[in-house]
Amino acid sequence: MLKEEDRKFIINTYNRRADLTLFITKGKGTLVWDENGKEYLDFVGGLAVNALGHASSPVIDAALKQMKKIIHASNLYYSEPQIKLARQLVENSAADRVFFCNSGAEANEAAIKLSRKFGKLQHDADKFEIITALNSFHGRTLATVTATGQEKYQKGFEPLVPGFRYARFNDLDSFKAQLSDATCAIMVEPVQGEGGVYVATQDFLTGLRRLCDENDILLIFDEVQCGMGRTGKLFAYEHYGIQPDIFTLAKALGGGLPIGAMLCNEKAASGFSPGDHASTFGGNPVVCAVAQAVMHEILQEGFLGDVIAKGAFFQEELHLLKKRFPKIISEIRGKGLIVAMELKEKGPAIQSFCQENGLLINCIGEGILRFLPPLNVSREEIVAAVDILQSALQEVFDGE
Ligand SMILES: *Cc1c(COP(=O)(O)O)cnc(C)c1O
């Protein structure tokens, strides 16, 4: 059995719960199928990766076309797909320049290195501390897991990387209290994803921007999960009318293929010189060609407006469930199509029931159900998902 071979040959880092194990062998749009041909609505979306859904034609076409030209050369040479993608990103964002890598953690690692270098160059002093938020998630490399303000990800890997301080999310005073002459940057997610879908307040982000300006330090937004149209704007910071000095992307950028990017303004970019940072696969031609196609789709007239409208519709539907189950559901929150429903308990049981009944969702801890459907999910699919969720709530909390 393949499942047993998975347990035998693959290092045991993912908790593949026995009630949830599934081989996904095929996908189209919001739908996926397992090896027995059973159909599921996919509201996990590859954890915010599959922004255009499965088997998206623009993604497939771009990949095949580029594969026939060149799959990999080296960053020693110029690369047309890379340059075009960088231009597209710069022309549609606060950034002036881009560094390409392969994952979210790597993009954040680049942001951390750049901030340290910039701090030292700009101030000719030992400025290296970065303040991040509690309950954040920034990745699994040693530096990014240190930046992640959650002990559960750090335990056992000590000593952690020096130079990180933590403050409470959405609490400006808490960040002010951690600031010192050693601070070179502040890094936050505009919407905390892995932490359970907590949206930054306007005052918090405006305040952080001002704090960074006053102290001449860099503001970094980790948009690995909330960027690329997920919140209904191309980048989540656009909702707030402010601009970061550095922001990072990954997940949805490559339409399912691995890519990460660190984007920054000219000022921050001056921190890096040739030789300071590199990545062998970074900006791979095939992935960059696909990412251009993803950008192109998201920037189509009306696409992002639809994300906002469908996100609002989804949240309304969930609020109706909350009215029906007031003792069970404590909160609905989110922005665009990153949405969470918090339950008092039994999240894993709900998740399991949903899967049995053809709906894939994510569960964080005991009670936070997170939904990350493709951005081109239909209203009918949202209604169908909420129906399954409602049956799950009825079934699991029967009589309570
Ligand atoms: C997923 C995620 C990361 C890490 O990305 P990887 O590609 O898994 O390294 C970093 N930051 C945020 C906000 C994420 O959601």
Side-chain angles (χ1 to χ4, degrees), residues 372-392:
L372 298 158
L375 302 183
N376 51 13
V377 64
S378 70
R379 279 172 191 254
E380 292 71 30
E381 287 164 338
I382 291 172
V383 170
V386 172
D387 277 348
I388 296 174
L389 202 53
Q390 174 169 332
S391 318

Side-chain angles (χ1 to χ4, degrees), residues 6 34 74 81 83 95 143 172 183 186-188 194 208 212 219 231 244 256-257 259 263 359 378 387:
D6 180 287
D34 69 12
S74 160
I83 296 164
L172 188 59
T183 312
I186 289 174
M187 172 155 83
V188 296
E194 299 304 301
L208 285 185
C212 288
L219 179 61
T231 64
L257 297 182
I259 185 172
L263 303 92
L359 170 66
S378 70
D387 277 348

Side-chain angles (χ1 to χ4, degrees), residues 103-106 108 137-139 189 194 222 224-225 250-251:
S103 69
E106 253 187 284
N108 288 333
F137 185 82
H138 298 297
E189 298 154 84
E194 299 304 301
D222 179 344
V224 166
Q225 183 157 160
K251 293 201 163 94

